[in-house]
Amino acid sequence: MAKPLTDSEKRKQISVRGIAGLGDVAEVRKSFNRHLHFTLVKDRNVATPRDYYFALAHTVRDHLVGRWIRTQQHYYERDPKRIYYLSLEFYMGRTLQNTMVNLGLQNACDEAIYQLGLDLEELEEIEEDAGLGNGGLGRLAACFLDSMATLGLAAYGYGIRYEFGIFNQKIVNGWQVEEADDWLRYGNPWEKARPEYMLPVHFYGRVEHTPEGVKWLDTQVVLAMPYDTPVPGYKNNTVNTMRLWSAKAPNDFNLHDFNTGGYIEAVLDRNLAENISRVLYPNDNFFEGKELRLKQEYFVVAATLQDIVRRFKSSKFGCRDPVRTCFEIFPDKVAIQLNDTHPALAIPELMRILVDVEKVDWDKAWEITRKTCAYTNHTVLPEALERWPVSMFGQLLPRHLDIIYAINQRHLDQVAALFPGDVDRLRRMSVIEEGDCKRINMAHLCVIGSHAVNGVARIHSEIVKHSVFKDFYELEPEKFQNKTNGITPRRWLLLCNPGLADTIMEKIGEGFLTDLSQLKKLLPLVNDEALIREVAQVKQENKLKFSAFLEKEYKVRINPSSMFDVHVKRIHEYKRQLLNCLHIVTLYNRIKKDPAKACVPRTVIIGGKAAPGYHMAKMIIKLVTSIGEVVNHDPVVGNRLKVIFLENYRVSLAEKVIPAADLSQQISTAGTEASGTGNMKFMLNGALTIGTMDGANVEMAEEAGAENLFIFGLRVEDVQALDQKGYNAQEYYNRLPELRQAVDQIRDGFFSPQQPDCFKDIVNMLLYHDRFKVFADYEAYLACQAQVDQLYQNPKEWTKKVIRNIACSGKFSSDRTITEYARDIWGVEPSDLQIPTPHVPKD
């Protein structure tokens, strides 16, 4: 088998992106050698691969700083409305290649590194992922930063610089084991500490009402140290900033202990303050009401709002009055977008600053706050909604509790005036949930305190309006919007799939990279023999490359001519990895029953992390690995069916597996996946989708034509009807022999002979309390998978569908999503203005 060409070898053979200028290459070499020399003078004589990586990273970073400074200068001079994207997660992945791509430096670096006898791809592999997110929500924030910079918006991402990101996943004896993600161990060349902007954040204490106003006293102080990371737009010389806060203890921390002779203890106790930014909570779509998490949420909000107010006051064209207390124009200069309810405390914190510190009267402050803030809802699962106990909240943030009570009182007065005597409506709409444990409903706070509320796919936004926030929608329907998610085509096509990007450029030019709707130009070419051949060839090369990677990293051999059936996302019952498992077991049983019968060979690849405390999700991983143990070692099966669990799925691994996929599994129960974004990445990279009518799948089917996806299963209405009637799993178990056989095998230990009752919890859940109705979609799923097999046997027709999908994926660019946020929520216009490069004089 011929070794597949590396991406850099391909770039040498052809480059539609233009040959790198010799001057650029020489400059990169010179800069690289200078940085390498610096490293070695400091330390050693022998350079390691990591030294080479850092030398290259610093070389590329040198190209950013001039543009970064000039962009910020440009904003200071123009004083545009600034966009603040607040998120507790930014799932950035690696930065080196993305920076080279967006600066148009990739070819020059490639050539320079090659001339120095090194391999660029090898150096790229040394970089740690910045895994400061769990999944979709954190990765969406990262795509949004890329699009906001590319669209020339004066935007800032604000979050926490977690010392430990999402855990690294190891599979040991088929079980997930977590280990700490010490991503900063070797340093991070992309961040710049900014101690001059360090800010205090207050916790605990007490509230005092004085003639001069309300005072929050006797607080404990933690310092927030900012670290800035540049965010380059695509070839427009714009470089925005992501500012992440790290917790530092003040030097007088625990001063009282110093004076009582407990000096050592007092210094050690600094850790308690600094724990705030220690670790990312590893839950996806699940609320864990821990005090440390509440501290994290207030920490990022308090530091960020001080920064926003400082920048507002010092802006060149701020208010003309000497003390700049005219906050009326604040919403004309500031937009705050809340990525889910995690930064919801921005609403009471902005109120606290306006009322207590800036002495704005309450009604004016409330008007300003609402005009400034907007809220994005990311889930309808009840277990994911943040509901903080009043007792915990009041101890940590006593002033904010008062403010929330006041907000709620005014809100309920308004509702009562409109619906006299409707006490149940008041109870449903209150921010405070009464009960044995009084709780604060953060989603209600966000809806009340924002001028815009959006869902992240059309079907999800409808559910938000007519179910989750029904009462609020009846009160203020104009507040509710849809903003269907998107992905950046720079990382998710140009960077991860250069072969496909080149093939597309040869046909329609490169305008699609900043206007993805131009992919529509491929539609007339859907029957073009050359294009069909090239698209199929690129896919085959990507599969060979991924096969080689699997063999090298995981010592597993797979059949590159089999269908790559890929299901990668966080492990969750609602995402129904169990439905996929039942399909695999059924395929296995069919092969065993009739070994002579021809079948389409498949490699089923399942990957994703389970939250460490989520027992069922961890059992699902064990089930996948156990099925793999049996299937992969059965000589009767041979290479017709293989099951791979992809260890430690993360951004950098997604960039490898997605371009190699033939089939994309998006099979959540209708009405549970708010949008999904992996679905869009697979579509753009030439996989076909098997999926339910859920999340953005609905709009993907609308764009490409439902006949070009494999859509199956219950719709939202069917799920609701089944809930009304009462879902009875045993009915399906009794009626469908293949389902019964698969479930019995799992229950009776066929896949776990050492522990026959290993999976009894899974089977018990599926039969008696399955909220996500796996059995109800089994029959339709199997029939749909049979259609997949049938089409896959006709490679030409399969590839035509692939081309149609790619051609219709333009809507799912985050550039389109951000343009809609800008116009409909933030009140700003994207600009294609090129900021001049640093060496060009400004005017």
Side-chain angles (χ1 to χ4, degrees):
M1 189 175 84
K3 198 167 157 286
L5 290 176
T6 67
D7 291 339
S8 57
E9 284 168 330
K10 276 198 217 112
R11 276 199 294 272
K12 288 207 179 48
Q13 288 179 0
I14 53 152
S15 179
V16 192
R17 276 158 269 153
I19 303 302
L22 291 178
D24 288 344
V25 176
E27 197 212 328
V28 169
R29 276 184 63 175
K30 191 172 145 191
S31 180
F32 177 88
N33 281 322
R34 186 169 53 84
H35 281 295
L36 188 61
H37 176 74
F38 249 46
T39 309
L40 298 183
V41 166
K42 279 189 304 201
D43 285 337
R44 305 171 302 282
N45 305 39
V46 188
T48 65
R50 179 164 283 105
D51 294 323
Y52 294 130
Y53 161 71
F54 273 101
L56 179 57
H58 286 120
T59 300
V60 172
R61 194 180 117 208
D62 290 343
H63 287 259
L64 273 172
V65 288
R67 292 171 169 93
W68 197 6
I69 291 165
R70 186 165 277 201
T71 300
Q72 301 311 312
Q73 211 174 340
H74 177 74
Y75 294 155
Y76 179 75
E77 286 161 9
R78 276 184 47 250
D79 193 34
K81 183 170 183 178
R82 287 171 162 89
I83 314 304
Y84 295 100
Y85 196 83
L86 269 64
S87 180
L88 267 90
E89 302 185 20
F90 287 94
Y91 202 172
M92 303 294 285
R94 290 173 177 161
T95 297
L96 174 61
Q97 195 185 355
N98 185 248
T99 305
M100 294 190 299
V101 163
N102 279 11
L103 261 41
L105 278 174
Q106 191 161 23
N107 291 328
C109 290
D110 213 334
E111 182 58 31
I113 293 302
Y114 174 74
Q115 288 177 13
L116 293 161
L118 298 166
D119 176 21
L120 182 60
E121 265 183 87
E122 238 169 77
L123 298 189
E124 286 166 351
E125 284 299 312
I126 291 167
E127 183 176 359
E128 299 271 0
D129 280 47
L132 307 184
N134 278 286
L137 173 147
R139 183 54 234 175
L140 185 78
C143 284
F144 280 4
L145 293 183
D146 183 88
S147 287
M148 289 187 292
T150 297
L151 292 169
L153 298 177
Y156 302 76
Y158 273 94
I160 295 176
R161 180 181 179 265
Y162 300 107
E163 199 176 317
F164 297 93
I166 188 65
F167 60 86
N168 284 315
Q169 178 192 58
K170 290 270 193 287
I171 302 298
V172 180
N173 298 322
W175 297 93
Q176 167 176 296
V177 174
E178 303 87 22
E179 60 179 40
D181 165 42
D182 191 5
W183 71 291
L184 294 168
R185 179 175 45 228
Y186 299 105
N188 173 6
W190 306 107
E191 68 182 8
K192 177 82 184 78
R194 306 298 301 273
E196 66 274 26
Y197 291 114
M198 187 140 59
L199 293 166
V201 175
H202 297 263
F203 294 103
Y204 302 107
R206 59 188 178 82
V207 175
E208 208 173 83
H209 295 262
T210 74
E212 299 84 63
V214 184
K215 298 260 199 296
W216 181 16
L217 304 168
D218 303 331
T219 55
Q220 293 181 24
V221 176
V222 176
L223 298 176
M225 164 88 80
Y227 286 78
D228 288 356
T229 300
V231 179
Y234 182 70
K235 292 185 177 175
N236 64 351
N237 296 325
T238 295
V239 182
N240 284 344
T241 301
M242 175 178 67
R243 176 163 286 182
L244 302 181
W245 301 102
S246 183
K248 283 285 276 171
N251 286 330
D252 61 2
F253 189 74
N254 268 355
L255 189 63
H256 51 90
D257 291 349
F258 279 90
N259 301 331
T260 56
Y263 164 70
I264 297 290
E265 293 81 348
V267 172
L268 297 183
D269 278 349
R270 294 169 60 86
N271 278 320
L272 297 164
E274 295 173 358
N275 277 338
I276 290 174
S277 55
R278 194 79 66 203
V279 61
L280 168 74
Y281 272 84
N283 305 314
D284 188 72
N285 275 299
F286 183 77
F287 171 61
E288 183 174 3
K290 294 280 191 287
E291 187 184 44
L292 182 62
R293 171 67 172 193
L294 184 56
K295 280 183 176 166
Q296 289 181 338
E297 291 183 353
Y298 182 63
F299 176 74
V300 64
V301 157
T304 300
L305 274 161
Q306 289 180 77
D307 224 25
I308 292 173
V309 170
R310 172 191 60 74
R311 202 175 281 119
F312 168 73
K313 286 182 169 182
S314 69
S315 72
K316 202 170 169 190
F317 308 112
C319 319
R320 284 278 163 246
D321 61 10
V323 277
R324 298 202 194 268
T325 47
C326 71
F327 277 84
E328 285 88 356
I329 69 155
F330 191 77
D332 303 327
K333 289 294 175 188
V334 173
I336 295 174
Q337 191 68 36
L338 306 175
N339 194 25
D340 213 313
T341 58
H342 313 146
L345 289 166
I347 291 164
E349 175 66 7
L350 183 52
M351 285 298 286
R352 187 189 69 79
I353 293 169
L354 292 174
V355 174
D356 294 359
V357 182
E358 302 293 344
K359 309 298 183 194
V360 179
D361 87 90
W362 181 281
D363 291 329
K364 188 75 202 161
W366 185 238
E367 186 196 332
I368 291 166
T369 298
R370 279 181 57 144
K371 282 181 173 167
T372 302
C373 296
Y375 158 58
T376 302
N377 173 274
H378 282 274
T379 181
V380 300
L381 296 180
E383 62 268 35
L385 295 178
E386 293 197 292
R387 297 156 60 246
W388 289 105
V390 166
S391 53
M392 178 198 294
F393 194 102
Q395 207 193 136
L396 188 71
L397 300 168
R399 179 58 183 143
H400 297 77
L401 184 58
D402 287 350
I403 290 170
I404 288 169
Y405 272 129
I407 290 169
N408 193 41
Q409 190 55 60
R410 285 167 166 79
H411 159 66
L412 291 180
D413 289 346
Q414 185 201 347
V415 175
L418 287 164
F419 302 91
D422 192 344
V423 285
D424 198 54
R425 184 181 295 263
L426 291 178
R427 181 192 57 74
R428 291 196 309 268
M429 295 184 76
S430 178
V431 177
I432 309 295
E433 297 178 0
E434 303 294 342
D436 27 341
C437 171
K438 280 175 70 163
R439 291 177 178 272
I440 304 171
N441 185 314
M442 300 305 271
H444 289 184
L445 179 62
C446 285
V447 173
I448 293 162
S450 298
H451 71 278
V453 174
N454 73 281
V456 290
R458 194 203 303 131
I459 188 175
H460 169 235
S461 296
E462 289 304 307
I463 293 168
V464 161
K465 290 191 302 196
H466 300 118
S467 157
V468 190
F469 299 133
K470 181 172 185 285
D471 296 312
F472 296 90
Y473 176 65
E474 287 170 14
L475 198 65
E476 306 180 277
E478 64 291 338
K479 185 183 272 194
F480 289 81
Q481 305 189 16
N482 173 244
K483 295 285 168 278
T484 299
N485 283 163
I487 57 171
T488 170
R490 273 74 62 180
R491 184 176 294 265
W492 296 112
L493 179 56
L494 185 55
L495 180 154
C496 72
N497 202 342
L500 182 58
D502 272 333
T503 298
I504 296 169
M505 282 185 225
E506 282 170 0
K507 298 290 179 190
I508 67 169
E510 51 181 84
F512 71 93
L513 289 170
T514 50
D515 174 15
L516 206 61
S517 66
Q518 289 188 29
L519 288 175
K520 279 264 182 274
K521 294 179 187 171
L522 291 170
L523 276 178
L525 303 174
V526 86
N527 295 306
D528 182 307
E529 296 290 339
L531 181 63
I532 292 169
R533 200 165 48 243
E534 283 169 51
V535 168
Q537 190 191 332
V538 166
K539 180 62 71 180
Q540 198 49 43
E541 283 172 7
N542 291 341
K543 288 171 73 174
L544 283 168
K545 188 173 182 187
F546 188 67
S547 302
F549 167 80
L550 279 186
E551 205 167 323
K552 181 169 158 282
E553 294 298 312
Y554 302 100
K555 312 286 174 263
V556 281
R557 296 207 64 168
I558 56 175
N559 170 10
S561 58
S562 63
M563 182 199 307
F564 283 16
D565 167 348
V566 184
H567 196 183
V568 287
K569 52 187 73 249
R570 285 295 290 257
I571 310 295
H572 203 298
E573 287 158 271
Y574 87 83
K575 295 177 187 279
R576 298 203 295 191
Q577 283 92 356
L578 287 170
L579 184 56
N580 193 350
C581 287
L582 291 172
H583 176 243
I584 297 167
V585 173
T586 305
L587 285 185
Y588 172 74
N589 288 333
R590 287 176 183 175
I591 292 170
K592 294 289 280 184
K593 187 177 175 187
D594 188 358
K597 192 172 172 207
C599 75
V600 178
R602 282 199 192 222
T603 301
V604 184
I605 299 170
I606 300 178
K609 291 174 185 177
Y614 189 174
H615 171 253
M616 189 58 66
K618 290 187 142 180
M619 288 309 306
I620 292 169
I621 291 174
K622 177 61 174 171
L623 178 61
V624 173
T625 56
S626 301
I627 292 170
E629 280 299 307
V630 172
V631 171
N632 299 347
H633 297 110
D634 191 321
V636 177
V637 175
N639 66 359
R640 287 181 286 185
L641 182 61
K642 286 276 180 271
V643 182
I644 307 293
F645 186 85
L646 200 56
E647 197 176 288
N648 203 29
Y649 181 64
R650 59 198 186 281
V651 176
S652 57
L653 193 47
E655 291 165 4
K656 295 180 174 70
V657 68
I658 291 171
D662 291 308
L663 186 67
S664 160
Q665 299 238 26
Q666 308 295 338
I667 59 179
S668 54
T669 312
T672 62
E673 188 74 89
S675 166
T677 44
N679 47 4
M680 303 166 186
K681 293 163 192 171
F682 283 102
M683 183 185 195
L684 183 59
N685 280 279
L688 297 186
T689 302
I690 183 166
T692 50
M693 278 299 212
D694 197 20
N697 296 357
V698 177
E699 290 160 81
M700 286 163 52
E702 185 177 300
E703 293 295 301
E707 70 282 3
N708 293 307
L709 283 77
F710 298 97
I711 298 290
F712 73 93
L714 303 173
R715 309 305 201 246
V716 168
E717 307 74 51
D718 306 321
V719 173
Q720 286 166 349
L722 195 48
D723 280 328
Q724 293 289 301
K725 174 182 150 222
Y727 168 64
N728 178 8
Q730 293 98 288
E731 187 189 311
Y732 302 92
Y733 173 85
N734 293 327
R735 183 167 58 80
L736 303 169
E738 286 189 308
L739 173 62
R740 191 182 329 122
Q741 182 188 4
V743 172
D744 289 351
Q745 285 169 309
I746 293 167
R747 183 194 60 207
D748 298 335
F750 181 85
F751 297 103
S752 53
Q754 308 318 121
Q755 298 164 265
D757 63 349
C758 185
F759 301 119
K760 66 173 192 309
D761 288 359
I762 291 184
V763 172
N764 185 53
M765 180 274 290
L766 286 173
L767 279 166
Y768 303 111
H769 29 86
D770 177 11
R771 296 163 57 201
F772 303 106
K773 306 178 175 61
V774 171
F775 291 1
D777 276 337
Y778 170 85
E779 205 173 3
Y781 181 53
L782 261 85
C784 198
Q785 286 281 20
Q787 293 175 5
V788 173
D789 278 342
Q790 201 187 341
L791 187 66
Y792 195 75
Q793 289 170 293
N794 185 341
K796 191 168 170 183
E797 288 308 309
W798 179 278
T799 305
K800 283 188 193 177
K801 273 209 201 303
V802 164
I803 295 167
R804 275 196 198 94
N805 270 268
I806 296 168
C808 295
S809 63
K811 174 180 180 178
F812 304 106
S813 169
S814 48
D815 298 344
R816 187 267 319 152
T817 309
I818 289 297
T819 300
E820 292 181 11
Y821 276 95
R823 291 178 178 155
D824 306 342
I825 298 178
W826 304 330
V828 295
E829 266 300 311
S831 103
D832 47 14
L833 181 83
Q834 282 247 355
I835 294 173
T837 39
H839 52 266
V840 176
K842 261 190 275 188
D843 282 309

